[in-house]
Amino acid sequence: TCNDGGGPMVLRNLEIHHGTGMGIQGGVDDLLIENNYIHHRGRKPDGTPWGTAGYGMYVGGRRIIIRGNRAEHNSGNGIRCCNPQNAGYWGYDFVVENNTVRDNWIPEAWFNGQYVPFGGDGIVLWGTTGTIVRNNVVSGQHDFGIRLLKSGNKVYNNTVTGAINQGIYIYDGESSLVTNNLLYGNGSNPEYSGDLHLGGGSGSHNLTGVDPRFVNPTAGDFRLQAGSPALDAGVSLPEVPTDFEEVSRPQGSAYDLGAYEYRSGSALRG
């Protein structure tokens, strides 16, 4: 936990797992959170929940980079960026990139004196503005894949699949840009059905409702096979020069959709 608002600070190459509470929590400026493995927070060693929320990350501040982390099997959100209701949890100018977020969920718990029902977002920008979310792979979430409460953010080239609610959800009246994302198999909950809810935002070149031909989704391999409808279907984005594996974009005639860029001469993405 870090809450002094000062920086810079680096949290890198850590494994944080099991026990109660958040994996990483606090409000710090100029923070780099990189290449960490955060799992089973809010879970007992046998995998059952403690009955309290245990998000992978819960951070606020300015100029925070969250890169290359794995957040999985936590009790709540995988990556949560700030909370405007709590003093000290602000959020400006985040970069959330190249993270793997999967199967984070909480059956029911108490958090900060409030009851938290069943759910768990993959990545949630809860009051964060000026943020870019790019090249993330989000799967198997029990709420939304990526959720945005405030305006002024960019959501580019993410792969989101298997969320119970929509893959990407922007609140009505809030404006953010959603481009080049690959969304498939989300929205099994009839109340939040479908892959994408733009709210007050705008979006283009997003693949929804079409089988993208993942390599092996059961094994968590969301690279693309040759012939995928996501190949060369995007637009160029200077903010996304490389993919999840640092492969330069584009490899074909145009950007591919989602987190992975297909390599020329290979049957598989990456």
Side-chain angles (χ1 to χ4, degrees), residues 5 16 50 56 73 91 127 162 164 170 182 184 201 205 222-223 227 236 260:
I16 305 170
W50 281 102
H73 310 305
I164 288 177
I170 300 175
L182 193 167
Y184 180 66
H205 298 81
F222 298 106
R223 296 176 298 164
S236 295
Y260 291 99

Side-chain angles (χ1 to χ4, degrees), residues 15-257:
E15 182 176 3
I16 305 170
H17 61 96
H18 293 95
T20 60
M22 311 304 162
I24 296 173
Q25 180 179 12
V28 179
D29 293 342
D30 301 301
L31 172 64
L32 172 61
I33 304 174
E34 185 175 45
N35 296 337
N36 301 290
Y37 180 30
I38 307 172
H39 60 100
H40 294 95
R41 295 300 299 173
R43 306 288 177 92
K44 299 176 184 178
D46 65 2
T48 60
W50 281 102
T52 58
Y55 300 172
M57 302 180 199
Y58 194 157
V59 295
R62 299 173 176 87
R63 300 174 300 277
I64 293 180
I65 299 173
I66 302 173
R67 174 191 297 141
N69 303 280
R70 290 168 57 197
E72 57 190 29
H73 310 305
N74 298 293
S75 291
N77 305 142
I79 298 173
R80 180 167 176 148
C81 301
C82 95
N83 186 345
Q85 296 176 346
N86 291 353
Y89 282 75
W90 58 94
Y92 305 99
D93 303 326
F94 279 57
V95 176
V96 183
E97 62 183 2
N98 297 57
N99 299 286
T100 300
V101 183
R102 69 185 182 107
D103 194 34
N104 298 283
W105 65 278
I106 185 168
E108 54 185 38
W110 287 91
F111 177 59
N112 283 351
Q114 295 181 329
Y115 176 72
V116 181
F118 177 93
D121 296 334
I123 299 170
V124 54
L125 307 186
W126 199 261
T128 309
T129 61
T131 290
I132 185 165
V133 180
R134 62 190 175 199
N135 286 337
N136 299 284
V137 179
V138 181
S139 64
Q141 290 301 134
H142 289 236
D143 210 324
F144 299 95
I146 300 173
R147 180 161 54 139
L148 294 83
L149 177 67
K150 294 293 184 180
S151 298
N153 301 295
K154 299 175 181 179
V155 183
Y156 293 162
N157 278 102
N158 300 281
T159 295
V160 186
T161 183
I164 288 177
N165 294 334
Q166 281 108 337
I168 296 176
Y169 183 93
I170 300 175
Y171 280 77
D172 294 339
E174 301 296 334
S175 178
S176 287
L177 301 177
V178 179
T179 306
N180 282 4
N181 297 283
L182 193 167
L183 312 171
Y184 180 66
N186 305 289
S188 59
N189 177 8
E191 187 176 358
Y192 295 100
S193 61
D195 286 308
L196 175 62
H197 179 80
L198 283 172
S202 59
S204 69
H205 298 81
N206 299 294
L207 185 68
T208 63
V210 178
D211 184 354
R213 299 193 63 193
F214 293 131
V215 170
N216 189 351
T218 303
D221 188 344
F222 298 106
R223 296 176 298 164
L224 303 175
Q225 298 185 60
S228 167
L231 303 189
D232 301 331
V235 294
S236 295
L237 297 170
E239 301 95 332
V240 193
T242 59
D243 77 344
F244 181 87
E245 297 180 318
E246 303 299 333
V247 175
S248 62
R249 294 181 187 269
Q251 288 290 302
S253 61
Y255 274 41
D256 298 333
L257 304 182

